[in-house]
Structures are given as structure tokens and as C-alpha cells.
mmCIF file of all heavy atoms in Angstrom:
data_model
loop_
_atom_site.group_PDB
_atom_site.id
_atom_site.type_symbol
_atom_site.label_atom_id
_atom_site.label_comp_id
_atom_site.label_asym_id
_atom_site.label_seq_id
_atom_site.Cartn_x
_atom_site.Cartn_y
_atom_site.Cartn_z
ATOM 1 N N ALA A 25 -5.479 -6.171 -7.030
ATOM 2 C CA ALA A 25 -4.333 -7.056 -7.234
ATOM 3 C C ALA A 25 -4.573 -8.415 -6.597
ATOM 4 O O ALA A 25 -4.192 -9.460 -7.146
ATOM 5 C CB ALA A 25 -3.069 -6.416 -6.672
ATOM 6 N N ALA A 26 -5.198 -8.409 -5.423
ATOM 7 C CA ALA A 26 -5.448 -9.661 -4.711
ATOM 8 C C ALA A 26 -6.388 -10.576 -5.480
ATOM 9 O O ALA A 26 -6.396 -11.797 -5.252
ATOM 10 C CB ALA A 26 -6.009 -9.366 -3.323
ATOM 11 N N ASN A 27 -7.165 -10.003 -6.385
ATOM 12 C CA ASN A 27 -8.142 -10.783 -7.147
ATOM 13 C C ASN A 27 -7.793 -10.858 -8.626
ATOM 14 O O ASN A 27 -8.656 -11.146 -9.455
ATOM 15 C CB ASN A 27 -9.535 -10.179 -6.964
ATOM 16 C CG ASN A 27 -10.072 -10.370 -5.561
ATOM 17 O OD1 ASN A 27 -10.478 -11.465 -5.194
ATOM 18 N ND2 ASN A 27 -10.037 -9.312 -4.748
ATOM 19 N N SER A 28 -6.540 -10.590 -8.962
ATOM 20 C CA SER A 28 -6.103 -10.580 -10.357
ATOM 21 C C SER A 28 -4.922 -11.516 -10.531
ATOM 22 O O SER A 28 -4.036 -11.575 -9.673
ATOM 23 C CB SER A 28 -5.702 -9.156 -10.762
ATOM 24 O OG SER A 28 -5.035 -9.145 -12.008
ATOM 25 N N ASP A 29 -4.889 -12.239 -11.643
ATOM 26 C CA ASP A 29 -3.706 -13.036 -11.950
ATOM 27 C C ASP A 29 -2.784 -12.302 -12.924
ATOM 28 O O ASP A 29 -1.840 -12.880 -13.447
ATOM 29 C CB ASP A 29 -4.086 -14.410 -12.501
ATOM 30 C CG ASP A 29 -4.889 -14.335 -13.792
ATOM 31 O OD1 ASP A 29 -5.168 -13.205 -14.261
ATOM 32 O OD2 ASP A 29 -5.243 -15.394 -14.331
ATOM 33 N N LEU A 30 -3.050 -11.007 -13.139
ATOM 34 C CA LEU A 30 -2.204 -10.190 -14.000
ATOM 35 C C LEU A 30 -1.375 -9.197 -13.188
ATOM 36 O O LEU A 30 -0.173 -9.050 -13.405
ATOM 37 C CB LEU A 30 -3.048 -9.434 -15.029
ATOM 38 C CG LEU A 30 -2.280 -8.578 -16.032
ATOM 39 C CD1 LEU A 30 -1.422 -9.446 -16.949
ATOM 40 C CD2 LEU A 30 -3.243 -7.731 -16.870
ATOM 41 N N VAL A 31 -1.994 -8.499 -12.239
ATOM 42 C CA VAL A 31 -1.298 -7.482 -11.446
ATOM 43 C C VAL A 31 -0.427 -8.165 -10.396
ATOM 44 O O VAL A 31 -0.926 -8.877 -9.519
ATOM 45 C CB VAL A 31 -2.289 -6.521 -10.774
ATOM 46 C CG1 VAL A 31 -1.539 -5.510 -9.908
ATOM 47 C CG2 VAL A 31 -3.137 -5.810 -11.815
ATOM 48 N N ALA A 32 0.878 -7.945 -10.493
ATOM 49 C CA ALA A 32 1.821 -8.562 -9.563
ATOM 50 C C ALA A 32 2.300 -7.598 -8.495
ATOM 51 O O ALA A 32 2.940 -8.013 -7.517
ATOM 52 C CB ALA A 32 3.025 -9.109 -10.328
ATOM 53 N N GLY A 33 2.031 -6.313 -8.650
ATOM 54 C CA GLY A 33 2.457 -5.331 -7.667
ATOM 55 C C GLY A 33 1.707 -4.031 -7.840
ATOM 56 O O GLY A 33 1.186 -3.741 -8.921
ATOM 57 N N VAL A 34 1.655 -3.249 -6.757
ATOM 58 C CA VAL A 34 0.968 -1.958 -6.755
ATOM 59 C C VAL A 34 1.913 -0.893 -6.225
ATOM 60 O O VAL A 34 2.543 -1.075 -5.171
ATOM 61 C CB VAL A 34 -0.304 -1.998 -5.880
ATOM 62 C CG1 VAL A 34 -0.891 -0.598 -5.698
ATOM 63 C CG2 VAL A 34 -1.342 -2.939 -6.483
ATOM 64 N N VAL A 35 2.031 0.201 -6.955
ATOM 65 C CA VAL A 35 2.699 1.410 -6.457
ATOM 66 C C VAL A 35 1.586 2.365 -6.057
ATOM 67 O O VAL A 35 0.857 2.870 -6.908
ATOM 68 C CB VAL A 35 3.608 2.040 -7.532
ATOM 69 C CG1 VAL A 35 4.157 3.387 -7.047
ATOM 70 C CG2 VAL A 35 4.756 1.098 -7.874
ATOM 71 N N GLY A 36 1.440 2.584 -4.767
ATOM 72 C CA GLY A 36 0.330 3.365 -4.254
ATOM 73 C C GLY A 36 0.730 4.747 -3.805
ATOM 74 O O GLY A 36 1.829 5.235 -4.120
ATOM 75 N N TRP A 37 -0.172 5.380 -3.064
ATOM 76 C CA TRP A 37 0.079 6.739 -2.568
ATOM 77 C C TRP A 37 -0.215 6.801 -1.079
ATOM 78 O O TRP A 37 -1.142 6.144 -0.581
ATOM 79 C CB TRP A 37 -0.800 7.760 -3.290
ATOM 80 C CG TRP A 37 -0.584 9.170 -2.788
ATOM 81 C CD1 TRP A 37 0.377 10.048 -3.203
ATOM 82 C CD2 TRP A 37 -1.319 9.854 -1.757
ATOM 83 N NE1 TRP A 37 0.292 11.234 -2.505
ATOM 84 C CE2 TRP A 37 -0.753 11.139 -1.598
ATOM 85 C CE3 TRP A 37 -2.405 9.490 -0.937
ATOM 86 C CZ2 TRP A 37 -1.223 12.069 -0.683
ATOM 87 C CZ3 TRP A 37 -2.872 10.412 -0.015
ATOM 88 C CH2 TRP A 37 -2.287 11.686 0.109
ATOM 89 N N THR A 38 0.584 7.575 -0.382
ATOM 90 C CA THR A 38 0.271 7.997 0.970
ATOM 91 C C THR A 38 0.916 9.354 1.171
ATOM 92 O O THR A 38 1.826 9.732 0.428
ATOM 93 C CB THR A 38 0.761 6.983 2.023
ATOM 94 O OG1 THR A 38 0.144 7.255 3.292
ATOM 95 C CG2 THR A 38 2.279 7.031 2.178
ATOM 96 N N ASP A 39 0.433 10.098 2.135
ATOM 97 C CA ASP A 39 0.956 11.443 2.390
ATOM 98 C C ASP A 39 2.310 11.333 3.075
ATOM 99 O O ASP A 39 2.394 11.009 4.260
ATOM 100 C CB ASP A 39 -0.034 12.221 3.261
ATOM 101 C CG ASP A 39 0.418 13.653 3.514
ATOM 102 O OD1 ASP A 39 1.494 14.048 3.016
ATOM 103 O OD2 ASP A 39 -0.316 14.377 4.221
ATOM 104 N N LEU A 40 3.363 11.592 2.319
ATOM 105 C CA LEU A 40 4.713 11.484 2.872
ATOM 106 C C LEU A 40 4.973 12.486 3.988
ATOM 107 O O LEU A 40 5.855 12.267 4.822
ATOM 108 C CB LEU A 40 5.750 11.691 1.763
ATOM 109 C CG LEU A 40 5.853 10.614 0.692
ATOM 110 C CD1 LEU A 40 6.872 11.029 -0.352
ATOM 111 C CD2 LEU A 40 6.217 9.270 1.293
ATOM 112 N N THR A 41 4.228 13.572 3.998
ATOM 113 C CA THR A 41 4.484 14.608 5.000
ATOM 114 C C THR A 41 3.703 14.384 6.290
ATOM 115 O O THR A 41 3.858 15.152 7.244
ATOM 116 C CB THR A 41 4.129 15.997 4.434
ATOM 117 O OG1 THR A 41 2.716 16.080 4.214
ATOM 118 C CG2 THR A 41 4.865 16.249 3.122
ATOM 119 N N ALA A 42 2.864 13.348 6.343
ATOM 120 C CA ALA A 42 2.094 13.077 7.555
ATOM 121 C C ALA A 42 3.020 12.584 8.666
ATOM 122 O O ALA A 42 3.907 11.759 8.420
ATOM 123 C CB ALA A 42 1.018 12.043 7.278
ATOM 124 N N PRO A 43 2.830 13.057 9.903
ATOM 125 C CA PRO A 43 3.690 12.595 11.002
ATOM 126 C C PRO A 43 3.629 11.093 11.222
ATOM 127 O O PRO A 43 4.612 10.493 11.671
ATOM 128 C CB PRO A 43 3.140 13.356 12.216
ATOM 129 C CG PRO A 43 2.433 14.542 11.649
ATOM 130 C CD PRO A 43 1.882 14.093 10.328
ATOM 131 N N ASP A 44 2.488 10.488 10.913
ATOM 132 C CA ASP A 44 2.312 9.050 11.140
ATOM 133 C C ASP A 44 2.369 8.254 9.841
ATOM 134 O O ASP A 44 1.686 7.234 9.695
ATOM 135 C CB ASP A 44 0.995 8.783 11.861
ATOM 136 C CG ASP A 44 -0.213 9.361 11.124
ATOM 137 O OD1 ASP A 44 -0.013 10.136 10.163
ATOM 138 O OD2 ASP A 44 -1.356 9.045 11.515
ATOM 139 N N VAL A 45 3.230 8.686 8.902
ATOM 140 C CA VAL A 45 3.308 8.017 7.604
ATOM 141 C C VAL A 45 3.674 6.543 7.762
ATOM 142 O O VAL A 45 3.152 5.683 7.044
ATOM 143 C CB VAL A 45 4.299 8.746 6.669
ATOM 144 C CG1 VAL A 45 5.696 8.797 7.242
ATOM 145 C CG2 VAL A 45 4.309 8.103 5.283
ATOM 146 N N ALA A 46 4.525 6.203 8.716
ATOM 147 C CA ALA A 46 4.911 4.801 8.912
ATOM 148 C C ALA A 46 3.704 3.954 9.295
ATOM 149 O O ALA A 46 3.560 2.813 8.844
ATOM 150 C CB ALA A 46 6.002 4.693 9.967
ATOM 151 N N ASP A 47 2.819 4.521 10.128
ATOM 152 C CA ASP A 47 1.611 3.792 10.510
ATOM 153 C C ASP A 47 0.682 3.591 9.313
ATOM 154 O O ASP A 47 0.056 2.537 9.175
ATOM 155 C CB ASP A 47 0.872 4.542 11.625
ATOM 156 C CG ASP A 47 1.653 4.572 12.927
ATOM 157 O OD1 ASP A 47 2.501 3.677 13.130
ATOM 158 O OD2 ASP A 47 1.422 5.498 13.723
ATOM 159 N N HIS A 48 0.591 4.600 8.455
ATOM 160 C CA HIS A 48 -0.242 4.473 7.260
ATOM 161 C C HIS A 48 0.280 3.359 6.351
ATOM 162 O O HIS A 48 -0.502 2.560 5.818
ATOM 163 C CB HIS A 48 -0.280 5.791 6.488
ATOM 164 C CG HIS A 48 -1.149 6.833 7.108
ATOM 165 N ND1 HIS A 48 -2.520 6.744 7.134
ATOM 166 C CD2 HIS A 48 -0.841 7.996 7.740
ATOM 167 C CE1 HIS A 48 -3.032 7.797 7.744
ATOM 168 N NE2 HIS A 48 -2.023 8.575 8.128
ATOM 169 N N LEU A 49 1.599 3.299 6.185
ATOM 170 C CA LEU A 49 2.184 2.248 5.354
ATOM 171 C C LEU A 49 1.934 0.875 5.959
ATOM 172 O O LEU A 49 1.590 -0.083 5.245
ATOM 173 C CB LEU A 49 3.685 2.490 5.184
ATOM 174 C CG LEU A 49 4.077 3.741 4.388
ATOM 175 C CD1 LEU A 49 5.580 3.961 4.449
ATOM 176 C CD2 LEU A 49 3.626 3.624 2.938
ATOM 177 N N ALA A 50 2.076 0.781 7.272
ATOM 178 C CA ALA A 50 1.819 -0.505 7.946
ATOM 179 C C ALA A 50 0.359 -0.912 7.785
ATOM 180 O O ALA A 50 0.050 -2.102 7.604
ATOM 181 C CB ALA A 50 2.188 -0.403 9.422
ATOM 182 N N GLY A 51 -0.548 0.067 7.833
ATOM 183 C CA GLY A 51 -1.957 -0.233 7.653
ATOM 184 C C GLY A 51 -2.259 -0.761 6.265
ATOM 185 O O GLY A 51 -3.062 -1.691 6.091
ATOM 186 N N LEU A 52 -1.611 -0.186 5.256
ATOM 187 C CA LEU A 52 -1.796 -0.669 3.891
ATOM 188 C C LEU A 52 -1.286 -2.099 3.745
ATOM 189 O O LEU A 52 -1.935 -2.951 3.116
ATOM 190 C CB LEU A 52 -1.075 0.246 2.903
ATOM 191 C CG LEU A 52 -1.672 1.635 2.701
ATOM 192 C CD1 LEU A 52 -0.724 2.514 1.896
ATOM 193 C CD2 LEU A 52 -3.037 1.548 2.005
ATOM 194 N N ARG A 53 -0.142 -2.377 4.350
ATOM 195 C CA ARG A 53 0.426 -3.717 4.262
ATOM 196 C C ARG A 53 -0.429 -4.749 4.982
ATOM 197 O O ARG A 53 -0.441 -5.925 4.625
ATOM 198 C CB ARG A 53 1.848 -3.720 4.828
ATOM 199 C CG ARG A 53 2.834 -2.834 4.088
ATOM 200 C CD ARG A 53 3.110 -3.289 2.679
ATOM 201 N NE ARG A 53 3.963 -4.444 2.633
ATOM 202 C CZ ARG A 53 5.287 -4.388 2.646
ATOM 203 N NH1 ARG A 53 5.914 -3.222 2.691
ATOM 204 N NH2 ARG A 53 5.997 -5.478 2.583
ATOM 205 N N ALA A 54 -1.147 -4.315 6.014
ATOM 206 C CA ALA A 54 -1.954 -5.238 6.811
ATOM 207 C C ALA A 54 -3.322 -5.501 6.204
ATOM 208 O O ALA A 54 -4.012 -6.450 6.607
ATOM 209 C CB ALA A 54 -2.117 -4.697 8.236
ATOM 210 N N GLY A 55 -3.752 -4.689 5.247
ATOM 211 C CA GLY A 55 -5.082 -4.810 4.672
ATOM 212 C C GLY A 55 -5.156 -5.835 3.559
ATOM 213 O O GLY A 55 -4.167 -6.506 3.225
ATOM 214 N N LEU A 56 -6.329 -5.941 2.951
ATOM 215 C CA LEU A 56 -6.542 -6.868 1.845
ATOM 216 C C LEU A 56 -5.574 -6.564 0.712
ATOM 217 O O LEU A 56 -5.486 -5.427 0.248
ATOM 218 C CB LEU A 56 -7.988 -6.747 1.343
ATOM 219 C CG LEU A 56 -8.357 -7.581 0.113
ATOM 220 C CD1 LEU A 56 -8.213 -9.065 0.402
ATOM 221 C CD2 LEU A 56 -9.767 -7.246 -0.352
ATOM 222 N N GLY A 57 -4.840 -7.571 0.286
ATOM 223 C CA GLY A 57 -3.888 -7.401 -0.804
ATOM 224 C C GLY A 57 -2.634 -6.650 -0.415
ATOM 225 O O GLY A 57 -1.843 -6.272 -1.288
ATOM 226 N N GLY A 58 -2.414 -6.447 0.883
ATOM 227 C CA GLY A 58 -1.272 -5.650 1.324
ATOM 228 C C GLY A 58 0.073 -6.182 0.873
ATOM 229 O O GLY A 58 1.029 -5.409 0.725
ATOM 230 N N ALA A 59 0.173 -7.470 0.660
ATOM 231 C CA ALA A 59 1.438 -8.046 0.199
ATOM 232 C C ALA A 59 1.812 -7.578 -1.202
ATOM 233 O O ALA A 59 2.964 -7.720 -1.616
ATOM 234 C CB ALA A 59 1.360 -9.574 0.224
ATOM 235 N N TYR A 60 0.842 -7.015 -1.927
ATOM 236 C CA TYR A 60 1.113 -6.547 -3.293
ATOM 237 C C TYR A 60 1.647 -5.116 -3.327
ATOM 238 O O TYR A 60 2.009 -4.619 -4.399
ATOM 239 C CB TYR A 60 -0.154 -6.640 -4.144
ATOM 240 C CG TYR A 60 -0.510 -8.054 -4.493
ATOM 241 C CD1 TYR A 60 -1.327 -8.805 -3.667
ATOM 242 C CD2 TYR A 60 -0.001 -8.658 -5.641
ATOM 243 C CE1 TYR A 60 -1.645 -10.126 -3.972
ATOM 244 C CE2 TYR A 60 -0.313 -9.969 -5.966
ATOM 245 C CZ TYR A 60 -1.131 -10.698 -5.121
ATOM 246 O OH TYR A 60 -1.435 -11.997 -5.428
ATOM 247 N N LEU A 61 1.693 -4.444 -2.183
ATOM 248 C CA LEU A 61 2.234 -3.086 -2.159
ATOM 249 C C LEU A 61 3.747 -3.154 -2.324
ATOM 250 O O LEU A 61 4.455 -3.705 -1.473
ATOM 251 C CB LEU A 61 1.880 -2.390 -0.849
ATOM 252 C CG LEU A 61 2.282 -0.916 -0.776
ATOM 253 C CD1 LEU A 61 1.462 -0.071 -1.748
ATOM 254 C CD2 LEU A 61 2.115 -0.375 0.650
ATOM 255 N N VAL A 62 4.252 -2.591 -3.414
ATOM 256 C CA VAL A 62 5.683 -2.658 -3.701
ATOM 257 C C VAL A 62 6.347 -1.286 -3.689
ATOM 258 O O VAL A 62 7.578 -1.183 -3.630
ATOM 259 C CB VAL A 62 5.961 -3.354 -5.045
ATOM 260 C CG1 VAL A 62 5.505 -4.807 -4.994
ATOM 261 C CG2 VAL A 62 5.299 -2.622 -6.208
#
């Protein structure tokens, strides 16, 4: 998404049952293209 002028958002996956799911989501947002996680 970060390198595309077509993709405006990404619906991704993470393990909802993981105890540290909030940290996983924060990690995705902090990485390359993280602003595209919707």
C-alpha cells in the first residue's frame, strides 16, 4: 500500500486471542505503511 497509488487501505490479520494483541496492532501501525492499516 505504501508503494501504490491505488491501494488506500489494508484490512489485515492478527491473532485476536493473543494476550498481547494490542502490542501487535501497535507494531503494525508503527511499521512501513502502518498508516494504511484500517
Side-chain angles (χ1 to χ4, degrees):
N27 291 285
S28 169
D29 61 359
L30 182 66
V31 178
V34 171
V35 173
W37 179 85
T38 195
D39 183 0
L40 292 177
T41 66
D44 56 350
V45 60
D47 293 336
H48 284 290
L49 294 173
L52 290 170
R53 298 294 285 274
L56 176 62
Y60 288 90
L61 186 68
V62 296

